[in-house]
Amino acid sequence: MSDPLARIPYVDGILTAAQVAETAASIAAMQEPCGAIPWTVGEHVDIWNHVEAAMALLVGGEVEAAERAYDWVPTMQREDGSWPMKIVAGEVDDPRGEVNMSAYFAVGLWHHWLVRRDIGFVRRYWPSVRAGLDWVVSQQLAFGGIRWTPTESFALLTGCSSIYHSLRAGVALADLLDDPQPEWEIAGGRLGHAIREHADLFEDKATYSMDWYYPVLGGAVRGAEAFALLETRWSDFVVPGLGIHCVDTNPWVTGAETCELAMALDAVGDHRRSLTLVSDMQHLRGEDGKYWTGWVYGDDVHWPHEHTTYTAAAVILAVDALGETHGHSTAGSGIMRGTSLAPHFAELMLECECAVGDLV
């Protein structure tokens, strides 16, 4: 009889396969009967973090829980293709459609394909992914960013960087199913150009570490430009031995952001610093493989006083990414590196005065 842990990722010297499986089980334990995965028990659900948790469940060996999570996603989609921003106990708490959340199902579905190779599963959810991305690109602004919600006039750099990733996953799915979506490719080219060349036109959220590293994590910035960008605020956000700040104004390190930065570093081949970050944040590991959201140093307290599914998910996905070179990984380990996604988009139909070029 085969060992079920043989398929679970691990990183030598940081987390074993058994520990990763325990963390995946901790996410499954917080899943609601309908399949929804809240931030923590009794808290709200949003589609982005829900999908991220489903991805972690899949690679952590909780396949049934992961697929129940995916089953739930289309049940909350609206006729226009969007999803509500917040859902609590199955009821809509904040009805605004949010572009980043409405795009991310594409990444989850592509990740499921990489791990399971179940074409029937892809075909089942493709209409939902397609409707979501159609709605997202309909919100694109003239400079290339995508407005946060239909009622706001601004775009967010973190969210748009994630949308760039989602569009590449969406085009990969479209290619797999022979259902071309050229309008997504055009929107992706304009969006990538905006992230690389017009970051100043996004809403100013520079106090948040996510605005710093997400252009790299989402894939719009790569190569020497990625290393240069990550150096700009390294000392502002990284706290050696603990992890990284969520915001630059508070002595508060958070596990999810730390693991996301680790995946951004892995995506550009900086495994040394990536491994260090994942190791450093293990002080947030609690009982039964759960993870505290963050730690306020100086006061030396966990805050908020809760274990969150999105933190646990970020840990598992970071371990899977690094396991490819420093332990063991699944077939989905490159999801943040983007090696299996559609190629970077050509910069076409720009509405700025920049010379047209391609990302190499």
Side-chain angles (χ1 to χ4, degrees):
M1 188 172 181
S2 62
D3 181 2
L5 292 180
R7 297 187 296 274
I8 308 294
Y10 63 83
V11 174
D12 293 323
I14 297 179
L15 286 177
T16 66
Q19 288 173 313
V20 170
E22 184 181 45
T23 296
S26 80
I27 299 173
M30 288 191 266
Q31 187 175 30
E32 296 174 356
C34 64
I37 303 172
W39 283 19
T40 193
V41 175
E43 253 286 0
H44 77 272
V45 183
D46 73 69
I47 298 301
W48 196 101
N49 283 291
H50 170 89
V51 168
E52 188 90 336
M55 292 162 63
L57 287 171
L58 191 66
V59 301
E62 298 284 345
V63 177
E64 188 273 336
E67 296 192 344
R68 282 201 304 117
Y70 284 126
D71 285 344
W72 176 81
V73 175
T75 70
M76 299 305 300
Q77 190 173 27
R78 276 91 69 98
E79 189 174 344
D80 65 2
S82 70
W83 279 269
M85 192 175 292
K86 288 185 178 181
I87 301 154
V88 179
E91 299 294 328
V92 174
D93 184 63
D94 186 338
R96 290 177 297 169
E98 203 268 16
V99 289
N100 175 38
M101 296 175 189
S102 296
Y104 206 58
F105 195 16
V107 175
L109 189 58
W110 182 250
H111 180 260
H112 189 280
W113 165 250
L114 294 176
V115 175
R116 301 289 292 176
R117 296 289 168 170
D118 183 345
I119 195 66
F121 192 90
V122 174
R123 289 196 177 104
R124 187 184 319 154
Y125 296 111
W126 171 239
S128 183
V129 166
R130 187 175 55 205
L133 285 176
D134 280 346
W135 179 79
V136 168
V137 301
S138 76
Q139 304 301 316
Q140 192 160 40
L141 298 165
F143 83 95
I146 297 177
R147 75 176 83 241
W148 181 42
T149 78
T151 59
E152 265 79 31
S153 61
F154 58 84
L156 299 175
L157 182 58
T158 294
C160 283
S161 296
S162 180
I163 291 169
Y164 183 84
H165 186 213
S166 295
L167 284 169
R168 289 183 66 205
V171 172
L173 288 164
D175 289 345
L176 176 67
L177 297 177
D178 195 22
D179 186 8
Q181 303 294 322
E183 67 280 10
W184 299 354
E185 298 182 47
I186 293 169
R190 293 178 61 210
L191 178 60
H193 176 82
I195 293 167
R196 291 186 292 273
E197 304 297 335
H198 301 297
D200 59 311
L201 297 181
F202 291 88
E203 188 78 357
D204 183 7
K205 298 288 183 180
T207 59
Y208 290 87
S209 58
M210 289 189 295
D211 255 30
W212 163 56
Y213 64 77
Y214 245 92
V216 179
L217 182 63
V221 178
R222 283 286 190 259
E225 291 78 10
F227 282 98
L229 177 60
L230 292 176
E231 288 308 308
T232 60
R233 304 205 61 193
W234 186 270
S235 61
D236 295 333
F237 289 115
V238 178
V239 184
L242 292 179
I244 77 167
H245 291 142
C246 176
V247 292
D248 62 10
T249 54
N250 299 331
W252 177 44
V253 294
T254 48
E257 281 82 356
T258 301
C259 288
E260 287 182 336
L261 175 58
M263 287 186 278
L265 290 164
D266 171 75
V268 295
D270 191 343
H271 297 149
R272 179 184 62 83
R273 290 195 294 184
S274 182
L275 286 162
T276 296
L277 287 170
V278 176
S279 178
D280 285 352
M281 63 78 60
Q282 293 306 317
H283 65 94
L284 295 172
R285 188 176 180 88
E287 62 180 9
D288 301 324
K290 300 173 185 174
Y291 279 84
W292 297 98
T293 301
W295 175 257
V296 181
Y297 57 92
D299 291 343
D300 293 342
V301 294
H302 291 115
W303 187 85
H305 197 75
E306 64 186 17
H307 301 100
T308 40
T309 55
Y310 61 80
T311 305
V315 172
I316 292 174
L317 294 178
V319 166
D320 197 26
L322 286 166
E324 190 168 311
T325 49
H326 294 84
H328 177 69
S329 65
T330 74
S333 64
I335 191 65
M336 298 302 179
R337 287 193 298 274
T339 49
S340 69
L341 300 180
H344 291 286
F345 305 114
E347 297 178 352
L348 303 173
M349 299 178 67
L350 304 181
E351 295 185 26
C352 57
E353 296 181 358
C354 299
V356 174
D358 294 338
L359 176 65
V360 296

